[in-house]
Amino acid sequence: MSILVLAEYHDGQLAAGTAHVVGAAQAIGGDIDILVAGDNVAGVAEAAARLDGVSRVRVADAPVYAHQLAEPLADLLAQLADDYSHVLAAASTDGKNVLPRVAALKDVSQISEILSVESADTFKRPIYAGNAIATVQSSDPLKVITVRTTAFEPVADGGAASVEALDIVASSTLSRFIGEELAQNERPELGGARVVISGGRGMGNGDNFKLLDGIADKLGAAIGASRAAVDAGFVPNDMQVGQTGKIVAPDLYIAVGISGAIQHLAGMKDSKVIVAINKDDEAPIFQVADYGLVGDLFEILPELEQKL
């Protein structure tokens, strides 16, 4: 068996999630290659080559891949896929954008957001917002899989994979890059933060989210939000944690003013320690919390910040 992992990177740095996807590939077994596609990505390729368990890094360095558009990336992967039994990517925005196209081009079914590997053709994945776990077996000759990175341990650095340049320049006629507006944030990236503090509808308005800033600064935490808070316009949607937002599994998750709807729990219930602050002692969030504090968040948050 041979496995191709799509590397993800941001601002010229290999994304931490790629090491988790390689961990999933190791659980499947076989030779592991990593594909790095972009423009001027030599540094990313070098970082990928250092991941343990990787046999080869294949680099497609061309302007057409510069902005990670799904169409040329999928075309590239489809051309490479015949050499592999599995194609893996993180279940991130990029992975969810690219891999369904690869599956369609190769006329196979995609297996989404696997949580564990039972065998080379059998995997477990969440359904019904994580309330049930489905065991899925694929008879397709090519397995196209997105990986929930929080479910797999990352591989360490220490490898010395070979690096091979590819001369495949995919078609880019279906889409073109116009521009982007990037949110500037000095806090840790939400998906990979060790500590996350999230606010919900109970925060009242967007200005009150400032109450989380001091605590986040002292804990080195990322700030998230429930869908209710995002839908109410309190904060941007890139802060959303949940089934339709970002899936997080930090060492510590603090839920403030969040009732605990099933869609939110699906995005954070794998956190190692969960702390809930809510004035409603019957809020569903307390059913999954390791520690619960019942009270007025507008009194509790300033006191918590002071004690920290």
Side-chain angles (χ1 to χ4, degrees):
M1 286 189 303
S2 55
I3 302 168
L4 181 62
V5 171
L6 177 62
E8 191 167 322
Y9 59 90
H10 307 287
D11 297 326
Q13 301 295 317
L14 185 69
T18 302
H20 293 261
V21 180
V22 174
Q26 286 187 337
I28 295 170
D31 295 330
I32 301 171
D33 289 354
I34 292 182
L35 172 64
V36 177
D39 191 21
N40 296 318
V41 288
V44 178
E46 291 174 5
R50 291 195 294 269
L51 294 177
D52 279 343
V54 175
S55 302
R56 178 174 55 167
V57 176
R58 309 187 75 179
V59 183
D61 201 325
V64 68
Y65 307 120
H67 301 289
Q68 301 287 286
L69 295 180
E71 291 81 3
L73 266 184
D75 188 13
L76 171 64
L77 280 164
Q79 292 185 58
L80 296 174
D82 290 340
D83 296 333
Y84 297 94
S85 58
H86 299 71
V87 174
L88 272 61
S92 60
T93 302
D94 287 343
K96 292 176 181 179
N97 197 22
V98 175
L99 256 60
R101 297 174 184 273
V102 177
L105 288 169
K106 303 305 291 183
D107 196 24
V108 298
S109 300
Q110 178 179 293
I111 303 173
S112 300
E113 296 204 40
I114 64 167
L115 298 172
S116 68
V117 175
E118 303 301 297
S119 68
D121 65 357
T122 306
F123 312 90
K124 288 189 174 181
R125 63 175 300 270
I127 58 174
Y128 305 130
N131 277 318
I133 305 299
T135 301
V136 180
Q137 186 174 38
S138 171
S139 59
D140 288 329
L142 174 68
K143 279 71 171 173
V144 177
I145 300 168
T146 60
V147 176
R148 182 171 288 189
T149 55
T150 56
F152 293 89
E153 290 297 320
V155 298
D157 280 352
S162 62
V163 178
E164 169 194 287
L166 296 171
D167 58 3
I168 301 173
V169 179
S171 169
S172 61
T173 58
L174 291 175
S175 63
R176 61 193 177 95
F177 178 78
I178 300 296
E180 62 186 356
E181 293 182 11
L182 299 177
Q184 299 299 319
N185 193 346
E186 295 181 356
R187 300 193 188 282
E189 196 274 322
L190 184 57
R194 293 182 61 250
V195 180
V196 174
I197 181 168
S198 290
R201 194 196 305 272
M203 297 299 295
N205 59 55
D207 289 340
N208 289 334
F209 265 76
K210 295 176 182 177
L211 293 170
L212 305 179
D213 288 344
I215 296 171
D217 289 341
K218 293 186 177 184
L219 295 177
I223 296 180
S226 69
R227 177 169 181 171
V230 171
D231 286 351
F234 296 171
V235 291
N237 60 12
D238 61 353
M239 292 174 62
Q240 182 179 326
V241 173
Q243 182 184 10
T244 54
K246 294 182 179 176
I247 307 295
V248 300
D251 294 338
L252 172 63
Y253 187 87
I254 304 174
V256 182
I258 294 174
S259 63
I262 185 173
Q263 292 85 356
H264 186 76
L265 299 183
M268 45 65 73
K269 65 181 181 180
D270 291 332
S271 304
K272 292 183 174 62
V273 176
I274 299 173
V275 175
I277 300 173
N278 201 297
K279 65 180 181 182
D280 179 7
D281 60 0
E282 295 185 358
I285 191 71
F286 288 121
Q287 296 176 15
V288 299
D290 298 287
Y291 299 93
L293 189 55
V294 178
D296 185 345
L297 65 87
F298 297 105
E299 297 176 2
I300 290 172
L301 291 178
E303 184 178 356
L304 177 59
E305 180 181 352
Q306 182 184 18
K307 291 186 181 298
L308 284 172

